[in-house]
């Protein structure tokens, strides 16, 4: 089964610095993976902290069926995709928002970005400054930071990503201020 841990946060200029009125919490690089029920080809453990929700650190654990990931949480960018094979998973990554992203993004990423095999883990990091509106009527920005941990495993243990040494680490973080 494909195991995904998605750690992400969103904030605005008002909360970006340490001396901000509402400083945002710093999320950990990885979290203990909760126990899952049997069944499902893909499981996602999501941890997020969003300024619009007063930076409460929220966690959820859900199986993902089909293309539901793309439309799962409409308030966040979803550039990650995968295709499962019998003994592998092709991992893909696209531009999170061609019209709103104001920071660097590679002009070309291979597709698949990499192939994950049983027992392997991988990590993808990206961040960005994005426009509030696509049409330019709202010229303010918001910022997002994402970490995707991925593993192909039969039964994930709680320390799956805490002790991981990723086979692949794709780092697309850039200066976003």
């Amino acid at each position: 089964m494909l195991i995904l841990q998605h750690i992400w946060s969103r904030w605005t200029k008002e909360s970006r610095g340490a001396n901000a009125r509402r400083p945002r919490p710093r999320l950990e690089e990885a979290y203990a993976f909760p126990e899952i029920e049997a069944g499902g080809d893909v499981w996602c453990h999501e941890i997020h902290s969003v300024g619009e929700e007063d930076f409460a650190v929220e966690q959820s654990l859900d199986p993902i069926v089909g293309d539901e990931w793309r439309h799962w949480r409409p308030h966040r960018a979803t550039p990650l995709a995968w295709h499962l094979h019998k003994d592998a998973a092709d991992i893909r990554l696209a531009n999170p928002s061609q019209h709103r992203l104001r920071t660097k993004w590679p002009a070309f990423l291979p597709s698949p970005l990499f192939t994950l095999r049983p027992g392997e883990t991988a990590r993808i990091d990206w961040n960005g400054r994005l426009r509030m509106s696509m049409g330019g009527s709202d010229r303010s920005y918001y910022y997002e930071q994402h970490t995707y941990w991925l593993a192909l495993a039969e039964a994930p243990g709680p320390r799956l990503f805490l002790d991981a040494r990723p086979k692949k680490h794709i780092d697309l973080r850039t200066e976003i201020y």
Side-chain angles (χ1 to χ4, degrees):
M1 83 179 61
L2 179 64
I3 307 296
L4 167 65
Q5 187 171 82
H6 183 198
I7 304 164
W8 68 281
S9 60
R10 176 186 298 140
W11 64 95
T12 61
K13 183 176 154 183
E14 289 77 31
S15 56
R16 73 178 181 195
N19 60 349
R21 286 180 295 156
R22 265 185 8 181
R24 65 187 170 93
R26 302 287 186 221
L27 298 175
E28 300 294 327
E29 285 199 10
Y31 288 82
F33 202 86
E35 188 175 327
I36 61 174
E37 301 170 13
D41 291 331
V42 182
W43 282 84
C44 178
H45 179 214
E46 183 176 84
I47 301 98
H48 72 274
S49 176
V50 178
E52 297 93 21
E53 299 169 359
D54 292 326
F55 293 113
V57 178
E58 301 287 334
Q59 293 192 41
S60 63
L61 177 66
D62 297 292
I64 299 174
V65 179
D67 198 28
E68 142 183 313
W69 167 256
R70 287 247 183 248
H71 312 288
W72 195 22
R73 304 260 198 268
H75 61 280
R76 65 146 161 77
T78 57
L80 184 72
W82 55 82
H83 179 75
L84 294 176
H85 302 282
K86 182 179 180 173
D87 60 348
D90 291 335
I91 307 300
R92 292 176 171 76
L93 192 67
N95 186 320
S97 179
Q98 282 188 2
H99 304 290
R100 292 168 59 181
L101 187 65
R102 300 288 96 199
T103 46
K104 285 184 182 181
W105 191 263
F108 172 79
L109 286 172
S111 184
L113 191 59
F114 57 86
T115 299
L116 200 59
R117 306 241 179 252
E120 295 178 342
T121 60
R123 177 178 173 170
I124 301 171
D125 290 296
W126 72 270
N127 64 5
R129 180 177 55 138
L130 297 102
R131 276 190 199 165
M132 287 284 192
S133 71
M134 286 177 49
S137 59
D138 185 345
R139 294 179 182 232
S140 58
Y141 294 96
Y142 65 93
Y143 306 88
E144 287 192 5
Q145 183 165 329
H146 295 258
T147 297
Y148 301 109
W149 281 99
L150 300 126
L152 213 52
E154 287 298 315
R159 299 201 54 86
L160 177 66
F161 298 121
L162 292 171
D163 297 335
R165 293 191 173 219
K167 173 195 172 207
K168 209 51 145 159
H169 182 196
I170 308 296
D171 191 346
L172 300 175
R173 292 175 288 190
T174 185
E175 183 63 42
I176 58 177
Y177 300 119

